[in-house]
Amino acid sequence: PPERPAERQLPQHDESQQEEEALVFAALSALPGVDAANALGRMMGRRDLYVRLARRMAEERADTALQLHDALHLGDFDAVMEIIHGAKSLLGALGAVSLQQRCIELQQALRAGRAVPAEVSSLGTAYAELLGSLRRIFMDTNEAKNTSRAGVP
C-alpha cells in the first residue's frame, strides 16, 4: 500500500553520524551544570535534535555575551532583557538549568527596576564560557572524525 503522509519516516542516520552524536552527547553530558539527559527526555529521546541544538548555539550565539555587555554599557535594559530572555530559552532546552535560573532571576530583578550590572556581566561571562565549551566539543569531535577518516589511529 502507498505510504500516507501521516506515516512519513524520519530520516535515517548512518552509523558514523550516530557515533558522532553519541560522542558529542557524552561530552555535553560531562559539562558542569548541564543536565543533558533531562533535556534529551524533553526532546523525546531525539539525540540528533539535541546535538543539533547545541551545535547551533555554539555557531550562532557566539556573540551573545558581547551583545549583552554592549547593551549593559549603553544602559539599554530593554535590549538586556531581550538578550537574557533568548538565552534563558536556549539554556533551558540545552539543560543548563542553573544558568537558566540565573536568567530568570535577572529578568525578575530588571522588571522590578533593579539594575544589576555585576550580575548581568557575570551571566554574560558564564554564558560565553559555556558556548566556548560547546565549540571545543564540536571542534574536538570534528578533529577525531577527520583523523579516523584519514586512517590515523
Side-chain angles (χ1 to χ4, degrees), residues 10-11 13 40-41 43-52:
L10 293 173
H13 295 349
L40 184 65
M43 293 186 181
M44 299 177 3
R46 293 278 312 273
R47 190 171 56 197
D48 60 317
L49 291 179
Y50 183 78
V51 169
R52 194 174 333 153

Side-chain angles (χ1 to χ4, degrees), residues 76-97:
D76 186 350
F77 289 102
D78 288 337
V80 169
M81 283 286 286
E82 184 178 322
I83 294 164
I84 290 174
H85 179 75
K88 175 185 72 174
S89 299
L90 289 171
L91 290 165
L94 185 67
V97 181

Side-chain angles (χ1 to χ4, degrees), residues 45-109:
R46 293 278 312 273
R47 190 171 56 197
D48 60 317
L49 291 179
Y50 183 78
V51 169
R52 194 174 333 153
L53 167 74
R55 185 182 308 276
R56 288 190 68 194
M57 279 184 71
E59 293 171 354
E60 297 175 8
R61 303 296 177 169
D63 62 345
T64 299
L66 181 60
Q67 291 174 350
L68 193 57
H69 172 76
D70 289 348
L72 185 62
H73 181 72
L74 295 171
D76 186 350
F77 289 102
D78 288 337
V80 169
M81 283 286 286
E82 184 178 322
I83 294 164
I84 290 174
H85 179 75
K88 175 185 72 174
S89 299
L90 289 171
L91 290 165
L94 185 67
V97 181
S98 61
L99 278 178
Q100 180 189 33
Q101 184 60 39
R102 286 175 64 184
C103 289
I104 292 167
E105 292 166 3
L106 281 173
Q107 281 184 306
Q108 291 169 346

